[in-house]
């Protein structure tokens, strides 16, 4: 479990440091737990990223680097929220630093609509070619294709939430559609 701190403290830490150190601590613990329990090699580490929940992308990055796998991120919220939704204050600038720091390592970026995908790409300006696509919240209306090696096997690791509206059941349903 992740140590919960008051949202104002987290917001202040992000404003000052560009990241909440408690997210890094949790991500390192997740990486160590994964290393102890996992005996398999994974082709893709896939992190769901929502606003105010940044530890999954940090953990996904650490794990993907450790096992030399591709790293994909699905943003279900714009990070940082666009100006107009929020003020251009120190917290916004801290989230901008966070996005530019962590997103530069991803190999694929998925979002819930074209506008948000475009916004995310403009926010962190990828320095390498990355795979992008739209995955709608309401289901897989747009076929998902991700380039994989010519190997018959395919391994996948999920680092998103396990509760609430964005739990792994949606990913499992999407894989069933993809396999069909």
């Amino acid at each position: 479990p992740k140590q919960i701190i008051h949202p104002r403290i987290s917001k202040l830490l992000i404003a000052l440091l560009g990241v909440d150190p408690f997210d890094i601590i949790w991500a390192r613990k997740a990486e160590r737990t994964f290393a102890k329990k996992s005996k398999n090699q994974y082709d893709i580490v896939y992190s769901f990223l929502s606003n105010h929940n940044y530890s999954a992308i940090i953990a996904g990055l650490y794990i993907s680097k450790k096992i030399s796998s591709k790293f994909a991120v699905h943003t279900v919220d714009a990070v940082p929220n666009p100006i107009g939704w929020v003020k251009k204050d120190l917290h916004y600038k801290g989230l901008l630093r966070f996005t530019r720091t962590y997103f530069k390592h991803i190999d694929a970026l998925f979002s819930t609509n074209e506008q948000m995908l475009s916004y995310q790409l403009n926010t962190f300006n990828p320095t390498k070619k990355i795979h992008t696509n739209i995955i709608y919240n309401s289901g897989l209306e747009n076929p998902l294709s991700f380039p994989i090696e010519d190997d018959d096997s395919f391994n996948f690791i999920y680092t998103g939430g396990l509760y609430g509206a964005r739990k792994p059941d949606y990913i499992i349903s999407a894989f069933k559609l993809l396999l069909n």
Side-chain angles (χ1 to χ4, degrees), residues 17-152:
L17 306 173
V19 67
D20 180 340
F22 291 101
D23 285 342
I24 293 174
I25 292 166
W26 182 88
R28 287 292 184 199
K29 286 180 184 175
E31 175 194 19
R32 286 192 298 275
T33 300
F34 171 78
K36 284 182 201 171
K37 294 185 178 189
S38 177
K39 306 242 185 304
N40 297 324
Q41 185 67 11
Y42 294 89
D43 297 306
I44 297 175
V45 176
Y46 189 96
S47 292
F48 273 139
L49 177 66
S50 63
N51 214 358
H52 312 298
N53 183 13
Y54 313 114
S55 51
I57 190 173
I58 299 169
L61 174 62
Y62 291 162
I63 292 169
S64 69
K65 282 187 170 215
K66 188 170 197 84
I67 64 175
S68 300
S69 73
K70 298 285 186 188
F71 182 38
V73 171
H74 180 164
T75 59
V76 294
D77 297 315
V79 178
N81 285 331
I83 299 297
W85 293 9
V86 295
K87 292 184 272 182
K88 190 174 181 178
D89 58 6
L90 287 176
H91 181 250
Y92 172 84
K93 291 177 183 175
L95 284 176
L96 206 53
R97 287 195 317 271
F98 170 85
T99 304
R100 290 177 178 154
T101 300
Y102 288 93
F103 276 52
K104 70 181 176 185
H105 301 285
I106 66 177
D107 299 298
L109 177 64
F110 306 105
S111 195
T112 56
N113 61 60
E114 290 285 344
Q115 293 81 8
M116 200 159 71
L117 180 61
S118 176
Y119 170 76
Q120 289 292 166
L121 290 169
N122 288 328
T123 300
F124 78 97
N125 263 337
T127 56
K128 63 180 181 178
K129 184 168 174 36
I130 64 171
H131 181 77
T132 61
N133 208 338
I134 304 301
I135 301 177
Y136 297 98
N137 284 342
S138 60
L140 199 60
E141 298 169 28
N142 199 13
L144 169 66
S145 64
F146 193 92
I148 59 173
E149 305 298 324
D150 290 335
D151 188 358
D152 287 342

Side-chain angles (χ1 to χ4, degrees), residues 7-23:
R8 287 187 184 149
I9 295 172
S10 179
K11 194 173 178 177
L12 177 65
L13 290 168
I14 290 170
L16 295 174
L17 306 173
V19 67
D20 180 340
F22 291 101
D23 285 342

